[in-house]
């Protein structure tokens, strides 16, 4: 069985990709470390971005905006819709006895990304144990708690804390889901999903619910999880994937193997 690098090779088609198969994981890990170091050394960046949306008299005024509140709620409904679609597709493959095929593997990958990324890592672990108070809870923005830097564990928040953003991580997952769209519309769907995910993520900063670092690190952490999971999930029919969905290198190797077997 051959690992199917679903997400890394989708990204490998971009200009910034590196030809080495394991490079995307390495680059993402380095980006995570670099971003963490940047926000830790320059915490003023977090505070400055929050001040863009904060009024000394009225606080985070955009938090009461009906359109922005609707935008926030929409992400939950879209996520549920994608989950239902994924479950339906898995049930369809299971009923037909095709769970070992590539289609089932792709949907299993997508659901695994949600469970292990936004689910366990972000909401189950970081937000419950790091204790970073949300911006609106700090003294700088009308609250009582002190400001805490990234990756600093504190007791100023008991649960569902600021580090990192759960909704930004879900938004990142929606972009991963868009990468599974049919090839003819994949680029358009992914661009639209990315714009939507960016809006949802910035919306959390505008509401005083998160810092910029919470959003950026949520995206990087989840992307790292998504890529790692894509290397773990395997399929016996990788050759039937289209290059944009499983990775050009794996597809070409399978194709070459089939050609060689046909020769006398």
């Amino acid at each position: 069985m051959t690992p199917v690098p679903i997400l890394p090779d989708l990204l490998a088609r971009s200009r910034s990709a590196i030809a080495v198969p394991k490079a995307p994981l390495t680059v993402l890990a380095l980006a995570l470390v670099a971003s963490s170091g940047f926000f830790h050394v320059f915490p003023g960046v977090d505070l400055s971005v929050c001040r863009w949306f904060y009024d000394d008299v009225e606080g985070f005024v955009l938090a009461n905006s009906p359109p922005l509140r609707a935008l926030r709620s929409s992400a939950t409904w879209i996520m549920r819709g994608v989950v239902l679609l994924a479950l339906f597709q898995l049930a369809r493959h299971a009923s037909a006895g095709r769970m070992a095929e590539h289609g089932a593997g792709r949907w299993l990958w997508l659901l695994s990304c949600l469970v292990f990324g936004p689910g366990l890592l972000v909401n189950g672990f970081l937000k419950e144990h790091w204790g970073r108070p949300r911006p609106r809870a700090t003294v700088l923005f009308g609250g009582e708690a002190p400001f805490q830097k990234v990756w600093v564990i504190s007791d100023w928040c008991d649960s569902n804390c600021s580090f990192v953003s759960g909704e930004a991580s879900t938004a990142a997952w929606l972009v991963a889901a868009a990468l599974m769209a049919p090839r003819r519309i994949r680029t358009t769907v992914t661009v639209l999903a990315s714009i939507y995910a960016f809006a949802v993520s910035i919306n959390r900063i505008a509401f005083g619910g998160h810092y910029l670092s919470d959003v950026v690190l949520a995206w990087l952490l989840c992307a790292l999880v998504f890529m790692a999971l894509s290397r773990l999930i395997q399929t016996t029919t990788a050759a039937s994937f289209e290059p944009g969905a499983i990775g050009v290198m794996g597809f070409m190797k399978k194709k070459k193997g089939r050609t060689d077997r046909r020769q006398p």
Side-chain angles (χ1 to χ4, degrees), residues 13-257:
R13 296 164 65 89
S14 67
R15 291 185 307 172
S16 59
I18 300 174
V20 182
K22 293 184 179 180
L25 274 174
T26 303
V27 171
L28 260 182
L30 291 174
L32 177 62
V33 172
S35 298
S36 298
F38 174 81
F39 285 111
H40 191 85
V41 174
F42 303 103
V45 174
D46 271 339
L47 301 177
S48 296
V49 174
C50 281
R51 289 193 181 101
W52 295 349
F53 306 98
Y54 181 74
D55 181 84
D56 291 334
V57 177
E58 300 183 24
F60 290 96
V61 294
L62 293 179
N64 298 317
S65 168
L68 294 184
R69 293 177 71 87
L71 173 64
R72 180 186 182 187
S73 299
S74 67
T76 300
W77 290 105
I78 294 176
M79 179 196 71
R80 290 174 179 173
V82 176
V83 169
L84 288 176
L85 175 61
L87 291 174
F88 169 77
Q89 293 291 345
L90 283 176
R92 185 171 64 87
H93 281 85
S95 64
R98 300 197 304 265
M99 286 301 292
E101 294 186 2
H102 68 85
R106 295 174 66 193
W107 293 107
L108 179 61
W109 168 76
L110 186 62
L111 289 176
S112 298
C113 288
L114 180 63
V115 170
F116 288 99
L120 295 178
L121 176 61
V122 174
N123 288 288
F125 181 60
L126 293 175
K127 290 176 67 66
E128 293 299 316
H129 295 92
W130 247 251
R132 188 185 199 187
R134 298 179 183 274
R136 59 174 177 260
T138 66
V139 293
L140 297 173
F141 301 105
E144 298 180 353
F147 168 77
Q148 300 292 320
K149 295 182 179 181
V150 294
W151 294 112
V152 174
I153 299 177
S154 77
D155 57 0
W156 285 99
C157 176
D158 295 328
S159 64
N160 193 26
C161 304
S162 185
F163 186 79
V164 290
S165 173
E167 284 164 273
S169 67
T170 300
W173 179 76
L174 292 177
V175 175
L179 292 171
M180 293 181 58
R183 187 175 183 180
R184 65 183 181 278
I185 61 171
R186 184 178 301 145
T187 300
T188 301
V189 172
T190 302
V191 170
L192 292 176
S194 299
I195 294 173
Y196 174 78
F198 177 80
V200 170
S201 300
I202 296 300
N203 200 34
R204 300 302 297 130
I205 302 176
F207 280 22
H210 288 287
Y211 297 101
L212 177 63
S213 58
D214 296 327
V215 169
V216 172
L217 296 183
W219 275 69
L220 290 173
L221 282 166
C222 285
L224 195 59
V225 170
F226 299 166
M227 284 192 176
L229 286 172
S230 74
R231 293 188 178 278
L232 295 176
I233 295 180
Q234 300 178 339
T235 182
T236 57
T237 56
S240 59
F241 272 59
E242 54 191 22
I246 64 168
V248 177
M249 294 182 63
F251 177 84
M252 294 306 295
K253 287 179 180 178
K254 288 284 185 178
K255 185 176 180 181
K256 183 178 183 299

